[in-house]
Each structure stands twice: as C-alpha cells, then as structure tokens.
Amino acid sequence: MTTTDPFPGFHVQAGKAADGPYAVDIDPERAGWGYSSLRVLDLPPGGSHSLATGDSEWIVLPLSGGCTVIAEGQAFELHGRESVFSGVSDFVYLPRDSHAQIASGAGGRFALTGARCERRLPARYGPASAVPVELRGSGNCSRQVNNFGAAAPAGGGKSAGGFECDKLIAVEVLTPGGNWSSYPPHKHDQCRPGEESELEEIYYFEIAEAHGNEGVGYQRVSPSGHGRGTDVLAEVRSGDTVLIPDGWHGPSIAAPGHDMYYLNVMAGPEAERAWLICDHPDHAWIRSTWPDQPVDPRLPLYQAPAGDPR
C-alpha cells in the first residue's frame, strides 16, 4: 500500500517512498521543504508513462535501459545504459508547465530529478558524450562524479561542467568499495553569498552486489545548528533515499567489495543557481593530504563516450 503522507524520518528505505507508478516519489510536500523532488519510474517492456511537469523543471535520466521522451512537440531518443555501474547516460530536460510521455520498448528504470522553479526553459537533449566525468579526492577518499546536471562553476573550470536549469542541480557519484565519499563532511544550509548556498538535497542509492550478496553502505548526516537539526546514521541499500534539508553530510561509506552509486538532487531558494559548500571545520584538513596520495586506480569506473551514441 502506498501513501503520500510526509516521511517520519530522513532515511527512507526502499519501498517506503513508493506511490502509484513510482518506486520512489519524493516531492516538497512529503519532504517538508520547498524545492527538490525525485521520482524513480520502473517501466516494463512496452510500458509508457505520462508526466505533467507542473511548477517544476525535470531531468529524465535512465538508470537502466533506454526510452523515448515526447515533449514540446519533439521526440527525444535516450540510448540509456545497462546500469549505473556500466556507463554515463544521456538525458532529457523538461520545462515546467509541460506534458511529457515516456515510453520504453525494452523496459527500464528512470530517475526524474526535479525542482520547483520560475523560469520556463526549452526542452532539450543532453548527450552522454557531453557529460563531464570528474575524479574527486584521492586515496580512500577517491570517487567519480558524473556532472550531468551540475551548475557552472564560478571559476569557469571544465571538470564540473554546467547544464542550464533554473533551480535544479543534479549529479551522480560512484564510490569504489571500501572508500569514503561526501568527505570531508560539508553543508549548504545557509545563504552566504560567495561562500555557501542554501540547498535542499536528496541522496538516492544503488549498491553493487558481489558474489551473489546484496550490497550495503552507510550515510552520516550531523546537525549544523541550522534548520531542522538533521541527524542520520543509516545503513543504506539499493533503492534507499536520504533527505538532507540541512546539516553536515558525509561520509557516504561503501562497504569493501560493494561499489556505491548515489544520485544527488539539489535545489533551493537563492536567485543564483550555485553549489557552494562549507567543510566541517574538524575534518577539512583531510583535503591537504590528497596531493600526496594517488587517486584510486579503480577510477574512473568508466568514461563518457566519445560521441553521440544515437
């Protein structure tokens, strides 16, 4: 039985956020905040789904499989991928106040990352070949970031990319088994121009199986003294989400032998769409050790393809 009641806590286990056609359905009302949304849609072979975007902009991102998205009088063919651990995916941006049809001949699982917004931007295709793949950290803090829906960096650097949205920021993070990511712990729960953005965040997890065993990881969020005093220490598995309205978040810990994937969805009230973070003062020193350590040789797990796969 599904429900649209608000969630009782910040760690939402797989199945607890299901509603109607969605395996995950998190909107501002259920999360108790103002902007960020995430839906995960499972389509059987030959299945289709109609989406009204309402007051939010959305990115349709294949997690597994491919699909056709029809919107604004255009048909966008998404090649997709076998799984989140096999490659970068192409995607489609959908504007607010629109309707879309998502159909999949072979079936698949599709993330819909959303944010309430004001501007109505054009629907458009994002090729996998244009997604910047960034390696962040080093040693056992090494991870890979697929910046498909990142905000353009203030300094103009290329690694973090930049895809135009009004409010939405969305990226994928892959952490090899045994590593820590989202580390050092950081926050973005205050508006401090040029230093920190105010952003709500959703983490959606998939953990790789190994030797026939289900994968597991761990997520920590600690109170920052702002907002709702978010405090989480959770064992996370595939399909789980963690809601972060405020607080220091990290580490995200991948158990040895089980690579961890998480999709980050962020949005907030500020006029400027930017990802500006503040490191936890007790742990920020770890960054100074990274230049003396090699990046984990298992990374990247994969690169973006050289060209448009269609």
Side-chain angles (χ1 to χ4, degrees):
M1 181 176 179
T2 59
T3 177
T4 55
D5 291 338
F7 301 114
F10 300 108
H11 173 215
V12 185
Q13 294 177 317
K16 300 294 186 181
D19 188 55
Y22 300 116
V24 174
D25 187 3
I26 296 169
D27 61 17
E29 286 75 21
R30 297 186 79 186
W33 56 35
Y35 295 90
S36 299
S37 295
L38 173 66
R39 296 172 178 171
V40 176
L41 174 68
D42 286 319
L43 287 180
S48 64
H49 177 68
S50 295
L51 170 70
T53 62
D55 62 1
S56 296
E57 58 188 346
W58 298 85
I59 286 178
V60 180
L61 175 75
L63 300 174
S64 63
C67 64
T68 301
V69 181
I70 299 175
E72 301 286 286
Q74 303 177 75
F76 302 96
E77 296 289 341
L78 295 186
H79 178 77
R81 52 189 166 185
E82 181 179 348
S83 80
V84 296
F85 297 105
S86 66
V88 176
S89 181
D90 49 359
F91 60 93
V92 166
Y93 174 89
L94 302 175
R96 61 167 292 164
D97 302 317
S98 183
H99 288 82
Q101 187 81 8
I102 305 169
S104 179
R109 171 168 277 215
F110 308 96
L112 283 63
T113 64
R116 281 180 174 158
C117 66
E118 298 176 1
R119 289 191 299 151
R120 192 175 191 275
L121 302 175
R124 59 201 188 277
Y125 174 76
S129 58
V131 174
V133 174
E134 174 189 6
L135 299 186
R136 199 174 288 174
S138 66
N140 62 358
C141 291
S142 302
R143 61 271 202 185
Q144 172 178 335
V145 184
N146 300 337
N147 287 296
F148 71 95
K158 287 186 67 177
S159 65
F163 182 85
E164 186 183 11
C165 299
D166 186 30
K167 294 288 188 183
L168 177 63
I169 299 173
V171 301
E172 302 179 298
V173 181
L174 295 125
T175 307
N179 284 9
W180 286 25
S181 61
S182 282
Y183 198 78
H186 59 280
K187 74 180 186 75
H188 39 70
D189 57 14
Q190 292 178 280
C191 177
R192 297 188 296 139
E195 295 184 38
E196 183 179 350
S197 308
E198 184 180 349
L199 296 166
E200 310 151 351
E201 186 162 16
I202 302 168
Y203 276 55
Y204 165 78
F205 293 90
E206 294 196 7
I207 314 293
E209 295 183 355
H211 302 285
N213 297 311
E214 180 185 16
V216 64
Y218 295 88
Q219 175 69 42
R220 179 71 172 121
V221 186
S222 56
S224 65
H226 303 280
R228 294 156 63 177
T230 307
D231 195 347
V232 178
L233 177 56
E235 182 175 284
V236 293
R237 300 175 185 273
S238 289
D240 286 10
T241 55
V242 173
L243 310 181
I244 306 175
D246 48 67
W248 304 104
H249 40 289
S252 303
I253 304 171
H258 296 277
D259 294 343
M260 169 187 282
Y261 165 94
Y262 52 87
L263 172 63
N264 289 146
V265 183
M266 291 169 275
E270 297 186 32
E272 180 186 6
R273 174 178 171 254
W275 183 70
L276 298 175
I277 65 171
C278 173
D279 285 340
H280 194 297
D282 292 348
H283 305 285
W285 63 268
I286 196 68
R287 291 187 187 274
S288 68
T289 70
W290 291 350
D292 298 325
Q293 302 177 63
V295 173
D296 191 315
R298 294 174 290 179
L299 292 175
L301 296 186
Y302 48 74
Q303 294 277 14
D308 190 333
R310 296 178 302 171

